[in-house]
Amino acid sequence: MEIQAYLRSDGRKGIRNLVAVCYLVECAHHVSREVAYPFRERGAHLIGFPGCFPNAYSHKMLERLCTHPNVGAVLLVSLGCEAFNKGKLLETIRASGRPTKLLVIQESGGTRSTIAEGRAWVEQTLAQLENTPRVAMRPDELVVGTICGGSDATSGLTANPAMGRAFDFLVEQGATCIFEETGELIGMEHWMAERAQNPVMGEEIVKTVAKAAQYYATYGHASIGPGNADGGLTTIEEKSLGAYAKSGQSVINGIIKPGDVPVGGGLYLLDVVPDGEPRFGFPNISDNAEIAELMACGSHVILFSTGRGSVVGSALAPVIKVCANPDTYRRMADDMDVDAGRILEGRATLDDVGREIHDLILRVGNGEQTKSEALGHQEFILTYKSFEPLGPACFPSAA
């Protein structure tokens, strides 16, 4: 299937053509939400950062998200006295060729006048985006991320390995695939190291997971919750077996951190646990924090496996829900895109469901709505984190 994508001025291609309304401090959240709300079904999505003091991670995240291939234009909304470097973000977006505007509430007359000005700009810009050129997009130009949330004992048996098979199919076609949750890969680091492109990168993978284990040990809580236990998972290592399965069987070409865009096709591990001493609390307080990081690495679409059932979608990138548990699928079919539970019941093979997911990705890339999109889910969250730059051992060119 040939995807008809939206060509950006910076040469990248997107599968959606959205206006991002982006608040730069929590004080501007309400105004931004009121600007975006009337256009929520026409392609205006709300994102933003609530903090008031500066954070390099959050700035990098918003730079990547506001210039994401699925984003055609950006409205920035500032209160005016926050520390976020709004001028630099505005320059970055303008340099990408996207229409953009900055509204400062303290300079625009307050709430009512800023909302009115913002809505007028979004209305005008949505009409302008209708003229965005459409071009062919090959599978090897796709970037696909994967996450699991609301897991149970079926997740590692059906949905996760089926998504892994879809990843294998995509990697064979030259696509870029990203898996993450290093805190949910504890115990699997040596298996991943054996799949690394070279031994040096394998050593870095082991260090990455060790960092995650130490981070969780400091807080006294691993990435496993009561819902996981109710669903039949007992330890983080057991959960890790399922989380690992979603990576497929391809060679791991590199390690990246939030906001790092892979240098080429293949399979990449996204390290989501902050570097240095634990400072900002639990690494990812919700599944949507991880989705935002996958998008900041360029993911056009997100695969999301769930056994217990999750209803979230995301701003900016479509989310494909792969349901692991057949009972959950029957109970929540309106929120689920793929019934991987058929594998447990003998109604499909792993390859069958993997191919179904692969084909759905291409259809979604060509405009088909996912269940979460059709239901209007546009969740987004961004908090404080801190990361050190990647070393050369993390890249495919490492010896």
Side-chain angles (χ1 to χ4, degrees):
M1 179 182 296
E2 186 178 83
I3 296 171
Q4 287 298 305
Y6 298 92
L7 180 63
R8 305 300 173 201
S9 298
D10 57 10
R12 303 168 78 190
K13 300 173 184 177
I15 63 171
R16 296 294 184 267
N17 198 24
L18 307 171
V19 171
V21 179
C22 178
Y23 58 93
L24 303 181
V25 66
E26 184 61 25
C27 304
H29 193 163
H30 172 73
V31 168
S32 302
R33 183 171 55 242
E34 289 298 305
V35 169
Y37 189 78
F39 309 100
R40 66 193 184 283
E41 295 181 359
R42 295 174 54 191
H45 286 203
L46 180 66
I47 65 173
F49 175 57
C52 191
F53 67 87
N55 177 246
Y57 157 82
S58 300
H59 189 100
K60 182 177 182 179
M61 287 283 290
L62 284 187
E63 281 192 336
R64 296 293 189 268
L65 292 167
C66 288
T67 57
H68 188 281
N70 291 351
V71 174
V74 182
L75 176 66
L76 300 178
V77 184
S78 161
L79 174 62
C81 55
E82 72 276 2
F84 197 98
N85 191 338
K86 51 186 174 287
K88 184 174 184 296
L89 179 59
L90 183 67
E91 290 175 7
T92 298
I93 300 168
R94 282 178 175 163
S96 75
R98 288 165 172 77
T100 186
K101 183 177 179 66
L102 171 65
L103 293 179
V104 180
I105 297 170
Q106 292 171 342
E107 299 174 3
S108 297
T111 297
R112 292 185 187 278
S113 59
T114 308
I115 291 171
E117 187 176 356
R119 287 179 178 176
W121 188 86
V122 171
E123 178 81 57
Q124 168 191 321
T125 304
L126 284 169
Q128 181 181 345
L129 290 184
E130 293 177 1
N131 298 319
T132 304
R134 303 292 293 273
V135 295
M137 182 179 186
R138 304 181 309 272
D140 64 0
E141 296 176 280
L142 274 173
V143 183
V144 182
T146 185
I147 177 179
C148 46
S151 302
D152 69 5
T154 68
S155 298
L157 301 174
T158 61
N160 285 3
M163 295 195 312
R165 290 300 294 130
F167 261 23
D168 291 337
F169 297 145
L170 288 165
V171 170
E172 289 173 3
Q173 294 176 283
T176 301
C177 296
I178 306 170
F179 72 107
E180 42 78 66
E181 295 169 296
T182 44
E184 295 179 13
L185 291 166
I186 295 169
M188 304 307 299
E189 57 269 32
H190 297 291
W191 293 96
M192 291 189 291
E194 290 183 7
R195 291 170 52 197
Q197 188 187 62
N198 56 66
V200 177
M201 186 182 296
E203 293 173 6
E204 291 298 318
I205 289 175
V206 173
K207 292 176 184 177
T208 295
V209 178
K211 178 188 69 171
Q214 180 60 44
Y215 198 103
Y216 287 131
T218 301
Y219 278 100
H221 182 66
S223 185
I224 185 167
N228 297 149
D230 292 343
L233 295 172
T234 61
T235 64
I236 185 60
E237 289 84 1
E238 186 178 17
K239 187 177 182 181
S240 294
L241 288 166
Y244 172 76
K246 72 181 186 293
S247 69
Q249 302 178 46
S250 303
V251 170
I252 298 175
N253 291 93
I255 306 170
I256 56 176
K257 298 184 182 184
D260 294 328
V261 178
V263 297
L267 180 65
Y268 292 80
L269 170 63
L270 173 59
D271 174 15
V272 299
V273 176
D275 293 320
E277 292 298 317
R279 297 194 302 166
F280 300 120
F282 202 67
N284 283 320
I285 61 175
S286 76
D287 293 326
N288 282 93
E290 296 167 292
I291 291 175
E293 290 174 334
L294 287 165
M295 293 189 301
C297 295
S299 296
H300 294 93
V301 61
I302 308 295
L303 301 180
F304 189 127
S305 74
T306 183
R308 296 299 303 273
S310 174
V311 301
V312 301
S314 175
L316 307 188
V319 174
I320 294 174
K321 293 283 184 40
V322 183
C323 188
N325 191 315
D327 292 334
T328 303
Y329 182 85
R330 284 186 278 268
R331 188 170 61 250
M332 301 182 67
D334 283 350
D335 287 276
M336 303 297 154
D337 297 284
V338 178
D339 178 11
R342 292 177 294 147
I343 298 169
L344 280 183
E345 297 180 329
R347 296 185 288 118
T349 66
L350 192 60
D351 276 0
D352 289 338
V353 179
R355 182 60 66 182
E356 179 183 346
I357 296 168
H358 168 273
D359 294 346
L360 179 56
I361 291 169
L362 298 184
R363 297 202 309 274
V364 168
N366 220 20
E368 181 176 322
Q369 281 197 323
T370 66
K371 292 290 185 67
S372 62
E373 284 184 294
L375 290 166
H377 284 283
Q378 297 178 11
E379 289 84 352
F380 183 85
I381 184 169
L382 177 60
T383 57
Y384 287 97
K385 280 189 179 182
S386 179
F387 288 93
E388 298 296 330
L390 286 164
C394 298
F395 295 100
S397 58

